[in-house]
Amino acid sequence: MPRSTLVVVDRGLVDVAAPGARVSILGVLSLFERKNANLNLDGAIAAIRLPYLRVVGIDLNVDGHGDKFRHFTPAEEDRFLELSRRPNIHKLVAASIAPSIQGEYTLDIKKALACQLMGGCPKLLPDGVKLRGDVNVLLLGDPSTAKSQFLKFIEKVAPVGVYTSGKGSSAAGLTASVIRDKNKEFFLEGGAMVLADGGICCIDEFDKMRETDRVAIHEAMEQQTISIAKAGITTVLNSRTSVLAAANPVYGRYDDLRSAAENIDMMSTILSRFDCIFIIRDVRDENRDLSIAKHVMGVHMKASNLTSLGSQKNPTNIDSSILDLKSLKDYVAYCRSRCSPRLNNETAALLSSEYVAIRRAIKERGDHAGGRKHQAVPVTVRQLEALVRLAESLAKMRLETTVQPRDVHEALRLFKVSTMNAASAAPQTSGVELRFLGDAERLQVQNAEQFLKQRVPVGADAKTMLLIDEGVALGHSDFALKRAVKIMSNRAELTELDKGRRLRRLR
């Protein structure tokens, strides 16, 4: 249950902090009587005094609450410096994120989440324009791929973590709302994005949000402010937070027979604000299933011994294969508060040339595929800034003041395996039914495909509904017929006319 107390400020202390800011208050604990104490017949209730704090001083962190004023002991600083000198520090931090989740597909996700925890460097331009340094990550994929577990773990490790679900969150709940109290006075109450200022806001079931609610966080994700103009209250709140979102494809599971644009049911305006977009697929492979099953069984068998083993672990042991939760959280807080790396001429030129090459490749692929309609995720200048933030976070992990070329190469690799794969994912046409269908379903699709080839000669047209009705009458299933039509369309054997009402056999 949330706990709160009444705080009274006056004179010059009024309006020195915005909603969502964390402050240190020096005050005097006092008591006051109830307003209707004389009207209350119950003497016991009338005698109760309510406590409140009369404030005499406020210490405000103007750069967003976090661990800026946290003091580390010399022993802790020496341990963190020794950690930063390890050549595999990125792999160590990534392996320490949700160690109970294993699998080949999780390696790059954990590395991107490690970059999100460190974050880039916010910048203030001479004309007053602010550039965000927080990294936003979107996990989009099949159910049962541990997306929500990643969100829960990051919430615990981040300096400030707020977890919310998209289905139960409204635009006002994520940004800010104006509420009228019992005295009929309006006051401002910050939402999840405001309360996560200086940390990470984890939004689960991102695809279940209403489109109007999703649009409300556009400003918070890029400009990192929330503008309010309601009930006579006009103000701007800070929301300097990273966003880690998890979503499912539009069809529940990712359909390889459809393009990425058809599977991702989100506007390009919101997708361009994510630095890394991972498409997670539940591939049915026997060796992969066996390794995952063994790991899950091992986790369940060792779960009962965690309490007894936890007291024997040494949290200050840096020679272990992973960092424990407290050490990881402390190291993240230390790196975020002590280091602010910048690009040099060499790394800036490398990033510029790579960005131009990526844009050129996207344009050539789009022209070959028939225009921009096949591009699910736009690659714009925001993605160039995302590469800068990823490179800065990798340098920050090693407590270096300058971004090195190896940081740029690793940032490019992470960007290509995440956002670039999502932007260029095309429908697969060969072997998909063998991978994702059982033996009985595969046989039904093959029989339905033979029926369609016999029923529609090359160059002829046929009505789609009539074909499906005839196939169902002959014993074929509706699912197998529609799947066969989709497969043949992707192989350019059929083409749909009149918005799918008619089919034409091409070859």
Side-chain angles (χ1 to χ4, degrees):
M1 291 295 291
R3 296 290 184 263
S4 62
T5 186
L6 184 62
V7 176
V8 178
V9 295
D10 55 6
R11 301 182 187 181
L13 299 178
V14 177
D15 287 338
V16 299
R22 284 194 175 181
V23 295
S24 299
I25 290 179
L26 177 64
V28 180
L29 183 63
S30 305
L31 299 175
F32 70 95
E33 296 183 358
R34 292 175 178 270
K35 182 179 179 181
N36 55 353
N38 297 329
L39 302 179
N40 201 318
L41 300 179
D42 192 344
I45 297 178
I48 295 178
R49 303 293 187 269
L50 299 180
Y52 73 97
L53 280 177
R54 186 161 52 86
V55 179
V56 296
I58 297 179
D59 186 12
L60 174 65
N61 180 6
V62 295
D63 291 333
H65 61 71
D67 292 331
K68 179 182 177 184
F69 295 114
R70 181 174 177 181
H71 298 288
F72 296 94
T73 63
E76 288 178 330
E77 293 194 5
D78 293 341
R79 182 164 59 91
F80 293 150
L81 291 175
E82 187 176 351
L83 267 177
S84 66
R85 297 190 189 104
R86 298 180 65 163
N88 62 338
I89 181 61
H90 189 201
K91 293 182 180 179
L92 176 64
V93 175
S96 304
I97 295 175
S100 61
I101 303 173
Q102 296 292 333
E104 186 178 354
Y105 74 96
T106 64
L107 299 178
D108 291 325
I109 296 176
K110 290 185 177 182
K111 290 181 179 179
L113 294 180
C115 293
Q116 185 183 35
L117 284 172
M118 297 297 172
C121 303
K123 304 171 184 68
L124 180 62
L125 303 183
D127 58 354
V129 176
K130 296 180 180 179
L131 300 179
R132 69 179 171 98
D134 296 299
V135 178
N136 299 326
V137 179
L138 172 64
L139 307 179
L140 188 139
D142 296 336
S144 184
T145 49
K147 300 187 297 295
S148 299
Q149 292 295 329
F150 278 124
L151 267 64
K152 286 289 188 180
F153 187 87
I154 293 298
E155 180 205 3
K156 291 186 286 187
V157 177
V160 178
V162 175
Y163 179 91
T164 181
S165 178
K167 186 65 176 176
S169 301
S170 62
L174 286 173
T175 55
S177 58
V178 176
I179 300 175
R180 178 180 292 182
D181 59 6
K182 60 182 180 180
N183 297 325
K184 297 184 179 181
E185 295 181 357
F186 292 102
F187 67 95
L188 203 60
E189 187 170 293
M193 301 281 288
V194 177
L195 297 178
D197 185 26
I200 297 180
C201 180
C202 303
I203 306 176
D204 204 355
E205 305 292 347
F206 195 65
D207 57 309
K208 309 300 189 301
M209 292 176 61
R210 293 186 295 271
E211 192 63 38
T212 54
D213 297 338
R214 208 180 294 153
V215 169
I217 66 174
H218 281 191
E219 180 191 0
M221 290 184 65
E222 189 61 34
Q223 283 73 35
Q224 296 199 313
T225 57
I226 293 174
S227 302
I228 295 296
K230 298 178 180 178
I233 298 177
T234 304
T235 184
V236 177
L237 306 179
N238 290 319
S239 62
R240 295 156 292 191
T241 174
S242 301
V243 175
L244 174 58
N248 295 116
V250 63
Y251 302 102
R253 296 180 62 89
Y254 195 90
D255 190 354
D256 274 11
L257 293 179
R258 302 179 186 270
S259 65
E262 293 175 304
N263 280 283
I264 304 174
D265 185 24
M266 296 184 193
M267 297 173 61
S268 59
T269 52
I270 191 75
L271 291 176
S272 66
R273 284 168 164 80
F274 285 103
D275 301 331
C276 293
I277 300 175
F278 286 94
I279 293 181
I280 311 172
R281 307 184 190 182
D282 184 15
V283 181
R284 298 175 184 173
D285 181 69
E286 184 176 355
N287 294 330
R288 179 186 177 188
D289 294 343
L290 184 61
S291 62
I292 291 178
K294 287 183 178 179
H295 175 72
V296 171
M297 292 300 101
V299 169
H300 280 271
M301 287 189 297
K302 298 175 183 178
S304 58
N305 299 327
L306 288 180
T307 54
S308 60
L309 295 176
S311 59
Q312 301 174 5
K313 290 183 179 179
N314 184 11
T316 62
N317 184 14
I318 64 173
D319 296 325
S320 60
S321 58
I322 62 172
L323 300 172
D324 61 284
L325 185 62
K326 183 179 183 303
S327 299
L328 178 61
K329 188 170 184 177
D330 292 344
Y331 186 67
V332 168
Y334 184 81
C335 292
R336 289 172 68 106
S337 60
R338 295 293 196 277
C339 189
S340 181
R342 288 292 187 269
L343 295 172
N344 55 22
N345 293 332
E346 180 186 2
T347 53
L350 180 59
L351 272 175
S352 301
S353 60
E354 288 289 342
Y355 169 72
V356 173
I358 289 174
R359 289 272 293 185
R360 187 188 308 118
I362 286 287
K363 182 179 182 300
E364 293 174 356
R365 190 182 297 116
D367 294 341
H368 179 72
R372 296 184 60 184
K373 62 180 181 180
H374 294 278
Q375 185 178 337
V377 183
V379 178
T380 61
V381 181
R382 282 178 178 163
Q383 276 60 48
L384 175 59
E385 293 182 341
L387 290 172
V388 174
R389 285 189 287 268
L390 289 174
E392 289 174 348
S393 65
L394 291 167
K396 186 183 291 188
M397 217 172 292
R398 300 193 309 273
L399 295 177
E400 293 188 358
T401 58
T402 306
V403 178
Q404 302 297 325
R406 57 175 174 172
D407 300 324
V408 175
H409 291 303
E410 177 64 16
L412 284 166
R413 191 193 68 81
L414 280 176
F415 181 75
K416 289 178 180 178
V417 300
S418 59
T419 307
M420 283 296 293
N421 278 356
S424 59
Q428 302 181 16
T429 58
S430 60
V432 176
E433 62 273 16
L434 300 178
R435 290 169 51 201
F436 291 95
L437 297 179
D439 294 336
E441 293 175 336
R442 183 171 67 249
L443 183 60
Q444 291 178 7
V445 172
Q446 291 174 349
N447 291 337
E449 193 174 334
Q450 291 297 325
F451 162 75
L452 292 173
K453 290 180 179 179
Q454 294 173 2
R455 175 64 178 79
V456 185
V458 177
D461 295 359
K463 291 184 177 181
T464 306
M465 293 304 300
L466 185 59
L467 271 178
I468 293 179
D469 291 341
E470 290 182 11
V472 172
L474 292 176
H476 301 285
S477 67
D478 183 82
F479 164 79
L481 289 166
K482 292 181 179 178
R483 194 79 171 183
V485 168
K486 196 68 182 176
I487 292 172
M488 294 179 69
S489 298
N490 290 332
R491 289 202 297 249
E493 296 179 4
L494 289 176
T495 182
E496 296 181 349
L497 304 174
D498 195 14
K499 297 182 179 180
R501 296 188 182 94
R502 290 187 300 119
L503 296 175
R504 175 174 296 172
R505 177 85 179 276
L506 300 179
R507 58 185 177 88

